[in-house]
Amino acid sequence: MPTLPYADMPPSPPPDGSSDGQPDRRAASAGAPQRLLVVQALCVQPLAAVLEESGYELLRAADGIAALDGLGARPRLVIMDMELPDLPGDGPLALLRRLTASGVPVLTLSRRQQPHRLSTLIEAGAAECLVKPVRMSDLLARIERLLRPGAVPGPAEPRRPMASMTVRERDGHCAWQTPQARALMAAYFPPPWSEHARLPPEVLAWLHREALRRRAGAAPSSLTVAPPAGARRQRLSFNLMAADDAVIGEGHWLMVLHEADEAASIARLASVLQLPTADAELLFGLLGPAPLDERARALGLAEASYRERLTALCERLSAAGPEEAATSARAALRGER
């Protein structure tokens, strides 16, 4: 069996000189961003972009030596892609064993056709194993579960960047996408659609129908699609949102994507608080960590327009401001209203 050239090296000691090899809990208790070590070929960027936009502090390692060195920075969690070109054969598996020996939980990413079966990864110490292509919502949920194993799951709140994109009505060309939207499209629709940044035919047909309905004054409706065969039984919903032409471009629509858990929460807010879908979407966004300018951009709005809509929403809810509106939203999601 091929072995790593550093197989007999102990994990790097933490910078404070202690040797317990345990993840640093102090940053989490102080409210600082939680530190993740991502072991992945540097040419693969979308994963890192989504994690950074989700508020995590990242350490990146493209090979085994850098991965073991990264343990010295005391990450809370290691995310390891088992496809590492610099480590052929059983090299990635040997590295996995070295990482898990440090006491830091390791979440692995691998393909079904890779030689390392999931049972082998578990035996090597992996805390979680995901099969690629991985939905970002799945990954973020697993990360949260590993970082806070005792946490009781509550109502769905946006713990990740909004998944949105601007689409040209004429031909379905995606002029702009957030990393989350790009990841969801790649997970639900096989190439060539995701690779060429165009809507697949069924979504484009719905866009054309919905655009005609909106112009005729009909109430907004959404599209829900099923995942590919064999994937987790989640659903993906699409909604068209009113946006500023100066922001998204004339002849374009802003399309917001949600998987089933978040879509259900937005529908609940609309029902319980008697809000239009666009206002429920706006309110749901207040529950996440993104600053105002990012929320405005994800909704295709200028900051001035976003503030105007937010003020009108607060007045509708009889809320003194966004924080009070968010409190009402959480109460509605918990069933207290």
Side-chain angles (χ1 to χ4, degrees), residues 243-250 300 302:
D244 294 337
D245 283 348
V247 175
I248 69 170
E250 188 174 354

Side-chain angles (χ1 to χ4, degrees), residues 141-191:
R142 300 290 184 98
I143 290 172
E144 183 73 8
R145 188 167 72 189
L146 288 170
L147 292 177
R148 299 195 305 160
V152 178
E157 291 192 9
R159 295 187 299 271
R160 58 182 185 264
M162 183 176 290
S164 59
M165 55 188 181
T166 59
V167 180
R168 190 163 58 203
E169 182 179 347
R170 174 169 52 86
D171 58 4
H173 173 70
C174 302
W176 170 83
Q177 296 173 291
T178 64
Q180 177 69 9
R182 187 162 47 244
L184 287 173
M185 292 297 290
Y188 278 81
F189 300 100

Side-chain angles (χ1 to χ4, degrees), residues 61-276:
D63 56 41
I65 294 176
L68 291 178
D69 286 346
L71 293 175
R74 308 192 73 170
R76 295 287 314 283
L77 174 69
V78 177
I79 301 173
M80 180 181 175
D81 191 334
M82 298 303 292
E83 291 185 275
L84 293 171
D86 291 341
L87 294 177
D90 286 333
L93 193 60
L95 175 60
L96 172 61
R97 293 192 180 98
R98 297 303 303 160
L99 293 173
T100 58
S102 71
V104 181
V106 180
L107 185 156
T108 64
L109 309 175
S110 60
R111 297 189 183 277
R112 291 188 186 279
Q113 63 269 29
Q114 279 187 266
H116 307 306
R117 297 183 179 274
L118 295 185
S119 59
T120 305
L121 300 177
I122 295 295
E123 290 172 2
E128 290 274 3
C129 304
L130 289 177
V131 176
K132 297 189 291 185
V134 177
R135 293 198 191 95
M136 290 298 110
S137 58
D138 272 355
L139 177 62
L140 292 168
R142 300 290 184 98
I143 290 172
E144 183 73 8
R145 188 167 72 189
L146 288 170
L147 292 177
R148 299 195 305 160
V152 178
E157 291 192 9
R159 295 187 299 271
R160 58 182 185 264
M162 183 176 290
S164 59
M165 55 188 181
T166 59
V167 180
R168 190 163 58 203
E169 182 179 347
R170 174 169 52 86
D171 58 4
H173 173 70
C174 302
W176 170 83
Q177 296 173 291
T178 64
Q180 177 69 9
R182 187 162 47 244
L184 287 173
M185 292 297 290
Y188 278 81
F189 300 100
W193 311 111
S194 57
E195 292 179 349
H196 294 291
R198 289 187 182 275
L199 294 181
E202 60 268 40
V203 182
L204 180 58
W206 169 79
L207 169 63
H208 289 157
R209 291 195 304 270
E210 184 65 9
L212 290 174
R213 292 181 69 259
R214 297 287 183 95
R215 295 191 183 101
S221 67
S222 62
L223 171 70
T224 301
V225 300
R232 185 170 64 87
R233 302 310 298 168
Q234 182 66 288
R235 295 288 187 274
L236 182 67
S237 70
F238 295 82
N239 282 284
L240 297 186
M241 308 297 292
D244 294 337
D245 283 348
V247 175
I248 69 170
E250 188 174 354
H252 290 71
W253 286 90
L254 182 91
M255 189 174 287
V256 177
L257 295 70
H258 287 291
E259 287 197 298
D261 50 357
E262 291 193 342
S265 294
I266 293 168
R268 179 173 178 80
L269 290 177
S271 174
V272 173
L273 300 177
Q274 299 183 336
L275 297 174

Side-chain angles (χ1 to χ4, degrees), residues 28-49:
S29 62
Q34 301 196 72
R35 184 177 298 154
L36 310 180
L37 171 60
V38 178
V39 184
Q40 187 178 47
L42 291 181
C43 61
V44 184
Q45 295 299 330
L47 170 62

